Amino acid sequence: MMLKQKAFMLLCSAVFMLLSQSLQADEARTSSFQVLVEGQGKAIILIPGLMSDQRVWQQLATALKPNYQLHLINLAGFAGTPALSTPVKLTEVTAELADYIRHQQLQQPVLIGHSMGAFLAFQLASSYPQLTGKLIAVDGLPYLAPVFSRDSATTVAQMAPQAKMMQQYYQQMTPAQLAASTEQGMAIQVSRPEHAAIITAMAGASDPATVGAVIAELLTTDLRSEVHKIQQPVLLLGAGGAVASEIMRPAVQALYQQQINTISQARLDFNWQARHFMMWDQPEWLLAQITDFIKE
């Protein structure tokens, strides 16, 4: 009798361990982002950019949530959301977002992404075209590198050494140094000091290793050969407020247009007054663009 009881206890222990491991695995799979849900109606997923969180969408969310259900994403390692022991990979975030859509039973939610968040939206819509609805990219592209090189012919192979150096550079930073570095480039980000202060604070609350890993992934992941798989309409909104001269505008516009040429239903609109955080620089214009596009 004692032997049977002991065997039963061992079996229960083994089952408990397996369940615990399974729960830990599920937890790990859903730990790359947190979600705040607000409002009622058609689902919209809003994804912020590098080192940002839901604060960038606050004004837009206030206007949208009376008519839409908003799913505001905060990525691990950015703006105070706890970092993972190993920095998040955007490909894994994309798979987890797809799982989230299935689990929440969202019916082709609208995707709105800013900067890096737009890249994630392009990746999600390319990888899971049946799951996603319309896509709005707020100054974000399928491939980041041509923005820096100013050449649409830039390749992943060309960017790989620079991506590795940048990742190592950020790994050596402290959060305070990350905030200071972000503050130095504020002229192209936003116009108003109060918004610059929020951006700097979000950077200072970000994990430098995560930032470096994500930048490296953005520089070495080119979605331009994948975005033709997107089945829903796409609106790419370019922020041109930091373009120094009107003479440069056609080249900038052509660079953006090249990235969405293979998408069957894609449109590009530029705002030449808005800087990169156009949700703060041109909030009324952005809201009108988004609401009109969703209703089309």
Side-chain angles (χ1 to χ4, degrees):
M1 187 71 177
M2 290 289 292
L3 286 173
K4 287 183 178 179
Q5 186 177 8
K6 187 174 182 180
F8 177 73
M9 290 179 68
L10 287 170
L11 178 61
C12 288
S13 177
V15 170
F16 177 78
M17 287 180 65
L18 287 170
L19 284 171
S20 177
Q21 290 170 358
S22 175
L23 287 170
Q24 288 173 3
D26 286 342
E27 194 174 289
R29 280 196 295 270
T30 58
S31 60
S32 68
F33 59 85
Q34 298 176 359
V35 187
L36 174 67
V37 181
E38 297 181 340
Q40 296 292 329
K42 171 71 176 174
I44 300 177
I45 296 176
L46 295 108
I47 314 171
L50 190 76
M51 298 185 285
S52 299
D53 65 9
Q54 66 195 42
R55 279 172 283 182
V56 302
W57 302 119
Q58 186 173 3
Q59 188 171 348
L60 181 65
T62 299
L64 290 175
K65 66 184 179 182
N67 300 307
Y68 300 96
Q69 183 186 68
L70 310 181
H71 299 254
L72 297 143
I73 307 296
N74 293 326
L75 264 66
F78 294 156
T81 301
L84 305 181
S85 55
T86 301
V88 297
K89 294 183 182 298
L90 298 182
T91 50
E92 293 175 1
V93 176
T94 298
E96 289 181 21
L97 284 168
D99 287 342
Y100 178 80
I101 291 171
R102 295 189 193 99
H103 185 263
Q104 297 295 320
Q105 298 182 343
L106 305 181
Q107 301 302 310
Q108 294 187 317
V110 175
L111 306 178
I112 303 177
H114 174 238
S115 193
M116 177 213 71
F119 171 90
L120 274 169
F122 279 118
Q123 193 168 59
L124 181 60
S126 299
S127 303
Y128 306 93
Q130 301 294 335
L131 284 181
T132 57
K134 293 180 177 181
L135 189 162
I136 301 166
V138 181
D139 209 32
L141 298 167
Y143 188 36
L144 176 66
V147 173
F148 297 107
S149 65
R150 298 184 181 180
D151 183 1
S152 293
T154 301
T155 66
V156 166
Q158 290 171 335
M159 295 305 300
Q162 185 176 345
K164 185 177 181 180
M165 284 193 304
M166 290 188 73
Q167 183 169 4
Q168 293 171 345
Y169 172 70
Y170 278 94
Q171 283 175 339
Q172 297 168 4
M173 275 188 174
T174 65
Q177 290 170 332
L178 185 57
S181 174
T182 302
E183 194 170 17
Q184 289 175 2
M186 200 60 67
I188 65 171
Q189 301 293 332
V190 74
S191 300
R192 298 175 68 88
E194 61 268 31
H195 298 139
I198 297 172
I199 295 169
T200 303
M202 290 191 297
S206 296
D207 174 54
T210 300
V211 174
V214 169
I215 290 175
E217 189 174 356
L218 288 169
L219 291 175
T220 55
T221 308
D222 185 352
L223 298 178
R224 289 177 295 181
S225 63
E226 300 296 316
V227 292
H228 69 92
K229 298 174 185 175
I230 297 174
Q231 297 178 2
Q232 299 290 337
V234 171
L235 175 62
L236 172 55
L237 300 174
V243 176
S245 169
E246 289 189 20
I247 299 172
M248 298 172 60
R249 289 182 181 180
V252 173
Q253 198 155 355
L255 187 148
Y256 275 58
Q257 182 64 49
Q258 186 272 339
Q259 298 226 358
I260 59 170
N261 275 339
T262 63
I263 303 173
S264 61
Q265 303 176 73
R267 186 173 87 230
L268 170 64
D269 284 329
F270 255 90
N271 186 305
W272 298 105
Q273 285 73 50
R275 301 191 185 189
H276 186 53
F277 283 79
M278 65 167 63
M279 65 282 289
W280 282 327
D281 265 20
Q282 293 285 314
E284 293 84 6
W285 182 86
L286 179 61
L287 176 62
Q289 291 286 319
I290 288 172
T291 53
D292 289 349
F293 183 67
I294 292 174
K295 291 174 181 177
E296 284 178 3

